[in-house]
Amino acid sequence: MDTTNRNQDLTTPGVMVPGNSTHPDPSQIGSTPPTPGSDNVSAGTTQKSLTPFQESMKRLRRDKRAMVSAFLLLFFVLIAIVGPPIYMHIGGTVTTPEGIKMSPAIYHSPFRNNLDYEDLAPNGMFWLGTDAVGHDLLARLMQSLLISLIAAVLVEIIDISFGITVGVLAGFYGGWIDQILARFTDIMFAFPSFLFLMLLAAIFGPWADTHLNNIPILGQNGNARLLLISLAVALTSWPAMARYVRGQTLQIKESQYIEAARTSGTNDFKILTRHIVPNLFSIVIVASTLNISNTIINEAGISMLGLGVKAPGSSLGLMISDSLGSIETPHSWEVLLPCIVLAIIVLAFSFLGDGLRDAFDPRSKD
């Protein structure tokens, strides 16, 4: 039997075997594989992979609720910072019934009572109307937003500083350091936040009105107690930040790159500042965003009770307190305006905080 012909019949067409001179048939086995540098190589194979931060930001951008909240908060920040100097130059000089001429810098001031323009509806002169004593509601609202932002920034500076310091030291070193700092944190947790805030404002409020009123912005125009409010809120909020940071530090210090840094002789200070603290970015940002809404609520509540910002200053809580009598009158807009703005700010910070938490949590990948 001719075995050569039999082997050729069993061989797949286009595949070479010893003694077989058949060449590959591209039409039967598909296209030829691409060679290195060939144009057939897909351009997508050379695309750089995203970093964890870029992936988190990509997830955040897909969260429509968080993005809308971010744009709303950015709008309020711009209104509070840029709005007053622009608004105080819009409009012409007006003459009161008493013959007094006023420029827009006067009647658009949040600190001036215009008794000739009480309880006005929104109009071309006062864009959001006026309250019972002639305050320009838009000017007061912008001043109130600025006060809320200042309070939030002051609180978060103290909150982040204390929280990171205590949390990192407790989580990194452990042992007796962790025990002492943990007990100190528990003691601070024992203080009821709002009650402590009221107590501090009631006791030291008059002292602040006398001794802190010369501080620019923070103490002028009845804002002296803002420093007390910020300090009280920060002292009762940083323990939560410390617990978050401590838990994250316990995980990070067991990572392989931390062990490699120790093996290479890197001291503890460099490990903390170069490896641990930078990796706490996500938890700190998320916790701070969620805490800001509580800060704004506490400041508004204290001012509403008369223990915070004083007239002629302005805050959202003070605006609500001054306009409570108009809620059942045709001028209910005066109390609804600060309530609506306060609700929008608190909800926006809450939604943005939830979006940041979902975006930076590695377990929430799509």
Side-chain angles (χ1 to χ4, degrees):
M1 181 180 293
D2 191 353
T3 58
T4 303
N5 294 334
R6 183 178 179 182
N7 292 335
Q8 290 177 354
D9 293 339
L10 297 175
T11 304
T12 303
V15 179
M16 297 183 64
V17 297
N20 187 0
S21 60
T22 304
H23 295 285
D25 186 358
S27 64
Q28 296 181 1
I29 64 175
S31 59
T32 56
T35 57
S38 173
D39 294 337
N40 293 329
V41 179
S42 174
T45 58
T46 60
Q47 184 179 2
K48 291 180 62 177
S49 60
L50 298 177
T51 64
F53 178 78
Q54 290 173 332
E55 291 179 354
S56 299
M57 295 304 298
K58 184 178 180 181
R59 289 197 296 272
L60 179 63
R61 286 192 293 268
R62 288 200 297 264
D63 191 335
K64 296 181 180 179
R65 188 175 62 176
M67 295 308 298
V68 171
S69 300
F71 281 116
L72 282 174
L73 293 174
L74 179 61
F75 171 74
F76 283 132
V77 170
L78 292 177
I79 285 294
I81 297 175
V82 181
I86 296 177
Y87 187 56
M88 293 179 70
H89 291 84
I90 296 178
T93 302
V94 299
T95 303
T96 66
E98 291 81 10
I100 301 175
K101 293 184 178 181
M102 295 191 303
S103 66
I106 296 177
Y107 60 77
H108 282 170
S109 171
F111 311 116
R112 180 179 176 84
N113 299 343
N114 301 307
L115 299 180
D116 295 318
Y117 304 96
E118 300 174 0
D119 293 323
L120 294 182
N123 55 73
M125 182 176 176
F126 301 104
W127 292 6
L128 292 180
T130 61
D131 61 12
V133 293
H135 283 130
D136 186 334
L137 286 179
L138 177 56
R140 270 197 108 190
L141 182 63
M142 290 189 292
Q143 176 68 16
S144 299
L145 291 174
L146 182 62
I147 291 300
S148 297
L149 291 174
I150 292 175
V153 169
L154 291 176
V155 169
E156 291 313 307
I157 289 176
I158 300 175
D159 184 29
I160 292 175
S161 301
F162 276 73
I164 288 183
T165 302
V166 174
V168 167
L169 292 177
F172 185 77
Y173 289 105
W176 65 270
I177 296 179
D178 188 14
Q179 292 296 324
I180 293 177
L181 294 178
R183 298 294 77 78
F184 179 64
T185 303
D186 292 338
I187 293 174
M188 297 305 300
F189 261 121
F191 286 94
S193 177
F194 198 74
L195 182 60
F196 179 69
L197 190 60
M198 292 175 57
L199 182 65
L200 194 64
I203 295 175
F204 295 100
W207 176 87
D209 293 336
T210 304
H211 294 83
L212 302 180
N213 57 354
N214 293 324
I215 300 178
I217 299 178
L218 297 179
Q220 296 175 344
N221 299 312
N223 297 328
R225 300 192 184 192
L226 184 64
L227 291 173
L228 285 179
I229 296 174
S230 303
L231 178 62
V233 174
L235 289 177
T236 56
S237 62
W238 71 261
M241 175 71 74
R243 285 193 173 182
Y244 298 146
V245 171
R246 176 184 176 276
Q248 193 75 2
T249 303
L250 288 173
Q251 297 180 6
I252 295 175
K253 77 173 186 177
E254 302 298 333
S255 303
Q256 293 183 353
Y257 63 89
I258 299 296
E259 295 296 332
R262 284 174 172 167
T263 304
S264 63
T266 306
N267 58 43
D268 289 347
F269 179 77
K270 290 184 178 179
I271 292 176
L272 290 173
T273 55
R274 295 183 180 180
H275 300 293
I276 301 240
V277 173
N279 282 284
L280 297 172
F281 169 79
S282 61
I283 188 68
V284 169
I285 292 298
V286 172
S288 299
T289 305
L290 294 172
N291 187 51
I292 287 177
S293 59
N294 293 328
T295 300
I296 294 176
I297 291 175
N298 286 331
E299 185 276 325
I302 286 297
S303 297
M304 184 175 175
L305 293 175
L307 297 174
V309 176
K310 296 288 186 179
S314 180
S315 73
L316 292 174
L318 187 58
M319 289 183 69
I320 296 172
S321 178
D322 290 345
S323 304
L324 281 177
S326 65
I327 194 169
E328 296 182 356
T329 69
H331 312 295
S332 58
W333 169 248
E334 298 171 12
V335 68
L336 290 177
L337 175 63
C339 289
I340 292 172
V341 172
L342 178 61
I344 291 175
I345 292 176
V346 172
L347 289 175
F349 271 114
S350 298
F351 290 152
L352 180 59
D354 289 340
L356 288 170
R357 181 177 56 195
D358 294 339
F360 285 93
D361 187 356
R363 295 168 296 183
S364 63
K365 293 183 181 298
D366 299 334

